[in-house]
Amino acid sequence: MSFRSSPSRQRRTARHQRFRLHPAQAVVVGFALTIAAGTALLVLPIAKAGPGGANFVEALFTATSAVCVTGLTVVDTAVFWSPFGQVVIMLLIQLGGLGIMIFASLIGLVIARKLSVRSRLNTVTEAKQIGFDDVRGLVRGIVKISLLIEAAVFLMLLLRFTLGYGYTFGEGVWFGLFHAVSSFNNAGFALYSDSLMGFVDDPFICLPLCAAIILGGLGFPVIMQLKKEFRKPLHWSMNTKIVLWGTGVLLVGGWAYITALEWNNPDTFGPLTPWGKILAGFFHSVQTRTAGFNSVDIGMMHDETWLGMDVLMFIGAGPAGTGGGIKVTTFAVLFFIMVTELRGEGAVNIFGKRLSRAVHRQAITVVLIAVGAVVAGAALLMVISGEPMDQSLFETVSAFATVGLSTGITNEISTFGQIVLIVLMFLGRLGPLTLGSAIALRERHILYELPKERPAIG
């Protein structure tokens, strides 16, 4: 005997499926709702240090920058926001760094001790995991790693602030906690008006922050594999090897580049000791991994330094972590495609493995969309606010790559220019492919192929 659903039940099912979000859409909506909630909290008079409250654009820009773990600001975080407002910013940074879907899954595990299939799909999509197994272990692992690293950095900063700078225990706890969360999540928010310029030659402040930034930028899949198989490099995935090698090369290359160009600059590294210059160079190379702290005035750096930092920021950190940019893996894939083409080989091989052809298209898509977004954003800033090209480009790359470094023009540009940066931060945090697939109404399965033809290239 067969049973047929009633018409009313079929209509309810159809409506439910119509409004069910694709996992990519759920990630986008989750971030958007979190930004909206953060904006609502920051608009409250209690969130502002002085009389009155923040205006809508100030609150929206700050909430977007915090959730997208960027660090660009249109107001001085240290003096504009009240302790309540600063706590809201710190919580938004933590939520944005962990990932909205991952946090929602954590709540589901705590309350219901289980995850629905939809929650698992959303979590896997945001964490960019290929496998669907043990999603609960994935969520627990990400949260545990985040809290352990933040706790370690917090303790080091607490000791330094209290023993080295005479902070009270309460001040040390607050400043240590805020900057530990901000650094691991690659956010770049600081509770000092000059960011970290007061600690430019202090390794006990700079190096713990750098360690947290680098670890957060590696990405959770890499950290979790290193945790399990640190002594078995032969078992490491292609993703892990690319991220580790790429991160090392870019950190050392950026360190040498920035230090060499700024060594004698009287407005940045010039007054420092040789050790201070080396530390400052390393610190700012790490910041281009998409963190956003600065220990010297970025606006006084040479134009050539800005250009090199643009490239480093645009590449960014590892996938599925707290960093931004087009990702080290995307850049590496394009590099190996180029090498393969120059050699005249057929397949792209990386670390003894053949690269899937689908990844070629994804990497090209991400880069082209990223270049288009950055160029369009820079052009709009130049037209709207009349800023020079080098500063406009630096600002838009910093926003799209969710870095947070600035030449000092963020609070000077017009409201429409700030909205442009908000859009770039949102797009950069979610990634072009995630946002694009979320916008698409459905996937198209074409059942035919057209004839091949080759246009002339080059």
Side-chain angles (χ1 to χ4, degrees):
M1 181 182 294
S2 62
F3 296 92
R4 302 179 65 180
S5 301
S6 65
S8 60
R9 183 174 181 179
Q10 290 177 348
R11 286 194 296 270
R12 287 196 301 269
T13 302
R15 285 197 300 269
H16 178 70
Q17 291 178 345
R18 190 182 306 124
F19 292 106
R20 178 182 291 176
L21 294 177
H22 183 276
Q25 292 175 322
V27 173
V28 174
V29 171
F31 270 85
L33 291 178
T34 305
I35 290 171
T39 302
L41 290 174
L42 292 177
V43 165
L44 298 175
I46 192 176
K48 188 173 178 294
N55 64 45
F56 176 75
V57 175
E58 291 169 340
L60 175 63
F61 193 100
T62 303
T64 304
S65 185
V67 174
C68 297
V69 290
T70 305
L72 286 175
T73 58
V74 292
V75 296
D76 188 344
T77 306
V79 299
F80 184 86
W81 302 108
S82 68
F84 174 83
Q86 292 171 354
V87 169
V88 170
I89 292 172
M90 184 181 70
L91 293 178
L92 292 176
I93 291 171
Q94 187 72 80
L95 283 174
L98 280 178
I100 306 304
M101 296 300 105
I102 293 171
F103 179 77
S105 297
L106 175 65
I107 298 299
L109 285 175
V110 171
I111 296 176
R113 298 185 180 275
K114 63 181 180 179
L115 291 175
S116 66
V117 173
R118 179 60 51 176
S119 295
R120 294 186 182 191
L121 283 171
N122 294 339
T123 301
V124 168
T125 299
E126 185 169 25
K128 292 181 171 58
Q129 289 289 105
I130 298 175
F132 190 69
D133 298 330
D134 195 22
V135 177
R136 289 186 294 182
L138 171 67
V139 172
R140 292 193 183 102
I142 290 175
V143 174
K144 185 183 297 184
I145 288 170
S146 300
L147 296 181
L148 284 176
I149 295 175
E150 289 173 357
V153 176
F154 161 71
L155 289 175
M156 287 186 278
L157 294 179
L158 171 62
L159 292 174
R160 185 57 177 164
F161 284 138
T162 54
L163 300 179
Y165 292 93
Y167 285 28
T168 65
F169 181 76
E171 291 173 336
V173 168
W174 171 235
F175 278 80
L177 179 62
F178 186 95
H179 291 97
V181 172
S182 184
S183 60
F184 176 72
N185 291 288
N186 280 232
F189 278 88
L191 294 179
Y192 301 96
S193 298
D194 60 357
S195 190
L196 298 176
M197 292 174 63
F199 309 102
V200 61
D201 56 356
D202 188 344
F204 299 103
I205 296 292
C206 292
L207 293 182
L209 294 176
C210 286
I213 291 164
I214 293 170
L215 289 173
L218 290 179
F220 294 114
V222 173
I223 297 176
M224 295 175 77
Q225 182 166 43
L226 291 177
K227 179 184 175 184
K228 294 180 180 178
E229 301 178 313
F230 181 76
R231 298 183 179 181
K232 300 177 181 179
L234 294 178
H235 294 176
W236 294 352
S237 66
M238 180 191 295
N239 180 76
T240 297
K241 293 177 180 178
I242 291 177
V243 171
L244 291 178
W245 275 100
T247 298
V249 170
L250 293 172
L251 279 177
V252 173
W255 183 8
Y257 182 87
I258 295 171
T259 305
L261 289 180
E262 296 297 319
W263 188 271
N264 293 318
N265 187 341
D267 297 316
T268 56
F269 290 11
L272 301 175
T273 64
W275 161 249
K277 295 177 182 180
I278 292 172
L279 177 62
F282 176 72
F283 184 80
H284 287 89
S285 178
V286 172
Q287 303 316 306
T288 61
R289 311 308 301 147
T290 78
F293 295 117
N294 62 280
S295 61
V296 298
D297 188 352
I298 300 295
M300 301 306 294
M301 285 181 164
H302 295 308
D303 294 352
E304 300 87 343
T305 308
W306 286 348
L307 182 59
M309 294 174 74
D310 285 341
V311 174
L312 293 170
M313 292 189 299
F314 186 76
I315 296 172
T322 59
I326 62 170
K327 310 304 184 193
V328 174
T329 46
T330 304
F331 177 77
V333 164
L334 292 181
F335 174 79
F336 283 108
I337 290 175
M338 179 189 70
V339 171
T340 301
E341 191 65 26
L342 291 176
R343 290 177 174 175
E345 299 174 354
V348 179
N349 300 314
I350 305 177
F351 296 117
K353 298 287 183 66
R354 183 168 58 86
L355 188 68
S356 169
R357 292 190 180 276
V359 179
H360 300 195
R361 299 192 298 271
Q362 292 173 353
I364 294 170
T365 301
V366 167
V367 171
L368 288 179
I369 293 177
V371 170
V374 168
V375 171
L380 285 173
L381 288 189
M382 292 168 64
V383 172
I384 295 167
S385 302
E387 300 294 342
M389 184 182 70
D390 49 2
Q391 289 182 293
S392 297
L393 181 62
F394 191 95
E395 209 78 10
T396 52
V397 171
S398 181
F400 177 81
T402 67
V403 180
L405 293 173
S406 174
T407 59
I409 67 171
T410 311
N411 59 344
E412 298 175 358
I413 60 179
S414 65
T415 300
F416 186 77
Q418 292 172 357
I419 293 174
V420 170
L421 295 181
I422 289 173
V423 174
L424 286 173
M425 288 189 287
F426 191 78
L427 174 61
R429 177 56 180 148
L430 292 173
L433 282 181
T434 300
L435 194 59
S437 60
I439 294 173
L441 295 179
R442 68 174 188 266
E443 296 180 357
R444 296 179 61 193
H445 298 283
I446 300 177
L447 303 179
Y448 60 90
E449 289 187 358
L450 297 176
K452 286 184 179 181
E453 187 173 348
R454 286 187 64 170
I457 300 297

